[in-house]
Amino acid sequence: MALVSVAVVTAVALSACAPSNGGTDAGQTTAPVSQAEIDEAMDTETTITFWTWVPDIQKEVDLFEAKYPKITVDVVNVGTGTAQYPKLRTALKAGKGAPDVAQIEYQYIPSFRQTNSLVDLTPYGGAELEDSYVEWVWNQVADDAGVWSVPQDSGPLGNLYRSDIYAQAGITEAPATWDDFAEDAKTIKEKTDSYISNLPGNDPGQIVGLFWQAGAKPFSYDGDKTVGIDLDSAETQKVVSFWQDLIDQDLVSTDADFNDAWYQGFASGKYASWQTAAWGPVFLQGTAADTSGKWTAAKIPQWNAGEDVSGNWGGSSNAVITGTKNPIVAAEFSKFLNTDPESTLAFANEQFLFPTTTDTLSSPDFIGTESEFYGGQKVNELFAGVSDTVSTDFQWLPFNDYVYSSFNDTLGKAIADHGDMSAALTAWQDAVTAYAKQQGFTVE
Amino acid sequence: MSTVTSRRGASHDAPSARPPSASRRRRSLGRPQLFAAWALTIPFLIVFAAMFLVPLGYAGYLSTFTSQLVGGQVFSGLANYARALEDPSFWAGLGRVALFLFVQVPIMLVIALVIALALDTGRVAGSKFVRLAIFVPYAVPGVVATLMWGYLYGRESGLIAQMISSVGLTPPDLLSPQNVLGSTMNIVSWEFIGYNMIVLYAALRSVPTDMYEAAEIDGAGPFRVAWSIKIPAIRSAILLTVIFSVIGSFQLFNEPNLLYSIAPNAIGSDFTPNLYAYNVAFRNQDVNYAAAIAFLLGFFIMVISYVVQLATSRKERLS
């Protein structure tokens, strides 16, 4: 403990040692790369480093190495998501030690773009991938200025519910609208003592997904110096006041998610449903194995009856990192991993990453699967349909670490403490705006 | 007196075995000794400079710049320090560790002292085992300790909650914003009571036993011996544990940083000044401001450690 202060100071010192990155590193180009150059690069002995936290990804990497025997991919797991990014940033600032390819979640792409840390894949045939992907997913990685990453998986929102608890409360159908959801919440609490759902205060991803579904556009970034911050809007306030009402009536619990107590909540029937992403069904299967056969997957409730819109929670991509000495190999690797039919199907069916290519989303080998945990329902098919209903132009701010950590101190805290969520949403807006201004951005 | 000393055996010669008087060591060193002294200390000085002074100096240098994601770095003198002094997050963290210091440190050190005194009487059955058992938590890495306690604290599945509900009471949420500081104090006490106990116990073992004999002859019981002889005799060791604990409290980082993943809303990003500096550097990407916070914290620790030392040494002179 006594050395921590020194350690912090040292780490601070190290991370700021090197000059910041420009986009001018050797080996990178803005002119299109010819097929001959690609062929030559792929036939030269090369080793590239790939930072990722996806379990068992070696399986897909092996497919790539089998096709290109002269290329070796060094797979390194330096931590999941928010644990990896500071390390990546430190390596980038130090000017060495950064990987050639890295796993990056969609919400962090602008953050790494802002520091010129991502190679524009346009000269490497990146733009040609557009037609392979679902539109909203493509917009997460590309804009007018370039293609910044290759999509791997996504998380369109649906609703997983315990059909046995619903039946016990006399409800036969999943709520079609949020109004139905609120009514069901009362009935379920009265008749079964279960909470209809849990809203965690530690997980900005879920509530931002719900904002997305409600049509909010809380963030925008022009790729340069201008950001838009609209966290405190009519749409977000609508979402927040809806949940506040349910929390105040003790119809929704507010436990932190992804910890033991929360897992047990699913196993014990404390929560009757989970408004979650397309990766949720398989996750739940592992977490609440004893409740197999009792779950049903449905679409997310709608704000207006008759509509069919969803949001997204999670998903990530593979980006080529600035400073790589082998941009062609790195780009070809990212493209192969996430577009080769065998590789993408393996991701979908074996690692349960929810697919993003239109081919895999319509492949009978994927959507035809019947899931026992959901009473034989074709869950993949349902979520593949949901993927088409996600609004297409959702953006992120170029400093997502701060956006998420300040959530925990404001809106997240209000959720956890059953405080005033509306005021906390305003406080979140203010904190993010103050940070943006202090960091020199023009706030629109 | 002779019967008492002979029973104590080895301590018979203690008075004559005292170190030679200080005046004999005052002689100035000769040239060969001087050379040897430098040769022996230079390796340390090099490592000390490279691993400690240079990073420290560099951090100090960084703290005088302001960096922005847009626009880069500009020299800003003491602006970061001025900003920290007006930053409610910094003060809130400092207030929290001060509270931690005034509540946890006395409890921890009194318990450590009582155990050390009890072991020193030689009347504790299985004292070797007790000593080891109390010291073992210190050998457990802080990371493991916090993860373990985090699990015990769990509201639904935690052992503590289950024990309380098994007797029909409603268990408190030990990780709520109101309780999390107390829960942290408990973890730190568990980790460091053994360490402090060993420091104090070692000091007690080096107190010459003839003083106890004299006290015994004068009719002092074990409590009186502990209070009037043992505690004053190990004053400097106690002072050492106090200073270490003061510094440790202000630098609290591991425990809250790990509890953050279990109770993020209760801990927050600015629970302690060190956690705040870490988050400013690695989440907010503002290394310059983080360096200023770290320096300011170091300054506070220096002042308070000095005050503690001054207060105790003045007391010593007065008594």
Side-chain angles (χ1 to χ4, degrees), chain B residues 83-310:
Chain B
R83 188 179 151 200
L85 289 173
E86 285 175 5
D87 189 339
S89 290
F90 177 71
W91 287 110
L94 212 56
R96 218 168 273 122
V97 290
L99 181 64
F100 186 94
L101 172 71
F102 285 113
V103 177
Q104 188 264 344
V105 170
I107 294 175
M108 174 179 70
L109 292 183
V110 165
I111 294 176
L113 183 62
V114 167
I115 297 172
L117 287 169
L119 287 173
D120 189 57
T121 59
R123 296 180 194 186
V124 179
S127 71
K128 271 189 182 160
F129 173 77
V130 172
R131 209 163 65 203
L132 186 69
I134 294 170
F135 187 69
V136 156
Y138 179 68
V140 174
V143 175
V144 177
T146 310
L147 291 175
M148 188 193 80
W149 277 104
Y151 187 70
L152 293 177
Y153 287 156
R155 199 177 181 181
E156 312 270 327
S157 53
L159 188 68
I160 298 171
Q162 283 185 358
M163 275 162 56
I164 294 175
S165 35
S166 71
V167 293
L169 297 170
T170 315
D173 183 0
L174 295 168
L175 296 169
S176 73
Q178 295 77 28
N179 294 338
V180 79
L181 187 66
S183 301
T184 314
M185 288 179 185
N186 177 53
I187 299 175
V188 174
S189 303
W190 180 83
E191 284 177 295
F192 287 95
I193 282 177
Y195 170 79
N196 289 304
M197 180 269 291
I198 288 287
V199 171
L200 298 173
Y201 178 71
L204 280 172
R205 296 308 286 173
S206 63
V207 175
T209 46
D210 50 340
M211 309 223 330
Y212 307 158
E213 286 147 20
E216 260 173 54
I217 285 162
D218 290 344
F223 287 100
R224 185 66 204 258
V225 170
W227 183 254
S228 302
I229 300 180
K230 293 188 176 184
I231 293 180
I234 60 166
R235 182 189 284 276
S236 62
I238 294 175
L239 178 65
L240 185 80
T241 58
V242 170
I243 299 269
F244 279 178
S245 304
V246 167
I247 295 173
S249 301
F250 275 94
Q251 298 200 339
L252 204 61
F253 175 77
N254 265 348
E255 292 79 7
N257 190 39
L258 287 159
L259 287 177
Y260 183 84
S261 58
I262 320 173
N265 307 113
I267 296 275
S269 56
D270 55 2
F271 194 70
T272 70
N274 254 348
L275 186 68
Y276 184 52
Y278 173 82
N279 282 321
V280 165
F282 295 106
R283 281 188 214 266
N284 303 4
Q285 297 174 60
D286 196 344
V287 286
N288 305 82
Y289 185 41
I293 292 172
F295 258 79
L296 215 52
L297 177 66
F299 177 73
F300 275 102
I301 294 175
M302 231 166 59
V303 169
I304 288 167
S305 304
Y306 187 68
V307 168
V308 170
Q309 211 155 8
L310 205 68

Side-chain angles (χ1 to χ4, degrees), chain A residues 263-276:
Chain A
Y263 300 145
Q264 285 195 346
F266 282 118
S268 67
K270 181 180 180 185
Y271 320 127
S273 71
W274 186 25
Q275 290 68 54
T276 187

